[in-house]
Amino acid sequence: MGKLWLWLIALMGLFGPSAPQEKVTARIQAHPPAPTKYHQLMLSCEVSGDPSPQQFLWEKQGSKVPLQKGPDNILLLPSFNKTHCGTYICTATGSKGSVVATYDLWINDLFNKVFVFPQETNDSYVLVKATPEQPLQNFTVCLRSYTDLTQPYSLFSYATKAQDNDIVLIKLRPEEYRLYVGGKFVSFRVPKGVPMASEHVCASWESTTGIVGFWFNGKPWPRKGVQKGYTVSHEAVIVLGQEHHSYEGGFDIRQSFVGEISDVYMWDLGLSTREVISAMYNSPVEAPIFGWRNLPYKIEGEVYLKP
């Protein structure tokens, strides 16, 4: 009887239902996630469910000539511009057949525009729909604001599940900006604002030393330090005009921004003073994670994009 059962088990292994195979899928990813004009852009065709795709065919919708064909899953655009906009198609072929992915490449240039926050609220903000690809060991954030507020207000808030104040740029009072990294902060005293003048600020941080750089209207301030050895998670929610009190939001009307915000950029590296000044004029030297010349965003509540 025991031998019979062994034979039955062997036959079931040969002819019985096999384990379901993983479905082969493909997707195209952009690096950086929000491409910037005149900087290098890399599109990668990522395949799952097939361990060894052998060929990648790259095409652009509307073009009769293939862009690239071969074993390389990377399509490189050395200097991205408006002529490159359109729908890209990657056909990956391997031992399990072919699979197709598409990607819409576009530019959302906000040059000479501003976000207007007309009144204090706890439910109005701009959600930035791009985040870093990897955890941050370095970062720089730049933006321009225009307001007559004298109470504390938040300009840029980057919340993660572990820390709602992972990166926050706040103006605490007319003479003080504060940068939070991982829940701890450093402050920078600035001159009182000139009536009817906008303020451009940049703040940078590096993990290896904890050094924070700060620039006010293009001028560097003495550097300070905070959170040496810390790592900022890349799984974040980024908003303009409010400060997170939880990963989901929890905004406080007393810290909401009223006025105009523009020229917003974020990099995963530090900048020099020359590069900060270039960013002031919307001509970034280094490719940002996201920036004003191509900002993926969503408006929540009463915020307006105006010339």
Side-chain angles (χ1 to χ4, degrees):
M1 187 68 179
K3 290 184 178 179
L4 178 60
W5 276 110
L6 288 174
W7 276 106
L8 287 172
I9 292 170
L11 287 170
M12 287 176 65
L14 288 172
F15 302 107
S18 58
Q21 293 185 344
E22 183 182 354
K23 183 180 178 181
V24 181
T25 60
R27 63 173 181 164
I28 298 174
Q29 289 186 291
H31 313 271
T36 305
K37 286 194 296 185
Y38 312 121
H39 289 89
Q40 178 177 287
L41 170 64
M42 184 174 70
L43 300 179
S44 63
C45 189
E46 309 293 339
V47 179
S48 61
D50 189 337
S52 58
Q54 299 158 0
Q55 180 176 275
F56 296 87
L57 172 64
W58 285 94
E59 300 171 286
K60 185 180 179 185
Q61 196 172 79
S63 175
K64 296 180 180 179
V65 181
L67 302 175
Q68 184 175 293
K69 184 177 181 181
D72 194 353
N73 73 323
I74 301 295
L75 180 66
L76 191 65
L77 306 177
S79 182
F80 168 63
N81 59 58
K82 287 185 177 181
T83 66
H84 295 116
C85 291
T87 300
Y88 287 78
I89 305 162
C90 170
T91 303
T93 303
S95 58
K96 297 184 179 182
S98 296
V99 63
V100 176
T102 61
Y103 179 81
D104 293 323
L105 182 57
W106 52 275
I107 295 176
N108 191 20
D109 192 346
L110 302 187
F111 183 67
N112 280 338
K113 295 182 180 179
V114 297
F115 287 124
V116 178
F117 299 76
Q119 60 185 354
E120 295 179 1
T121 74
N122 63 357
D123 59 3
S124 299
Y125 56 91
V126 176
L127 174 68
V128 179
K129 299 170 64 178
T131 56
E133 298 177 279
Q134 302 293 333
L136 294 172
Q137 300 294 323
N138 304 271
F139 70 77
T140 303
V141 172
C142 294
L143 55 80
R144 186 181 300 278
S145 65
Y146 179 50
T147 182
D148 59 3
L149 288 176
T150 56
Q151 73 265 25
Y153 55 84
S154 177
L155 293 163
F156 181 98
S157 183
Y158 178 113
T160 63
K161 291 181 179 179
Q163 177 55 256
D164 55 356
N165 285 341
D166 238 355
I167 304 173
V168 181
L169 182 60
I170 266 188
K171 196 168 188 188
L172 195 66
R173 53 182 63 91
E175 302 86 22
E176 181 184 352
Y177 280 93
R178 182 175 286 184
L179 176 72
Y180 283 82
V181 181
K184 297 183 178 181
F185 69 87
V186 287
S187 294
F188 295 90
R189 295 188 64 83
V190 298
K192 282 188 177 181
V194 178
M196 302 305 293
S198 64
E199 296 181 354
H200 185 272
V201 294
C202 288
S204 69
W205 171 83
E206 62 181 33
S207 176
T208 53
T209 63
I211 288 178
V212 174
F214 183 81
W215 292 261
F216 182 75
N217 290 335
K219 180 182 177 181
W221 252 231
R223 285 171 282 192
K224 298 183 179 182
V226 70
Q227 288 288 51
K228 178 180 177 180
Y230 186 73
T231 297
V232 177
S233 173
H234 62 299
E235 297 178 346
V237 176
I238 305 172
V239 302
L240 308 176
Q242 298 280 1
E243 181 193 354
H244 287 91
H245 288 273
S246 71
Y247 182 69
E248 291 78 17
F251 304 123
D252 185 346
I253 191 172
R254 294 169 298 179
Q255 295 174 318
S256 65
F257 177 76
V258 178
E260 300 176 5
I261 293 177
S262 63
D263 305 344
V264 182
Y265 290 88
M266 184 178 189
W267 293 263
D268 55 1
L269 44 79
L271 297 188
S272 66
T273 297
R274 179 180 66 87
E275 291 166 338
V276 165
I277 292 172
S278 294
M280 280 182 63
Y281 296 100
N282 283 299
S283 299
V285 175
E286 298 288 345
I289 299 168
F290 56 80
W292 205 242
R293 304 307 301 266
N294 187 17
L295 188 73
Y297 72 90
K298 180 182 179 184
I299 288 175
E300 297 287 354
E302 192 177 1
V303 183
Y304 304 95
L305 183 65
K306 294 289 185 180

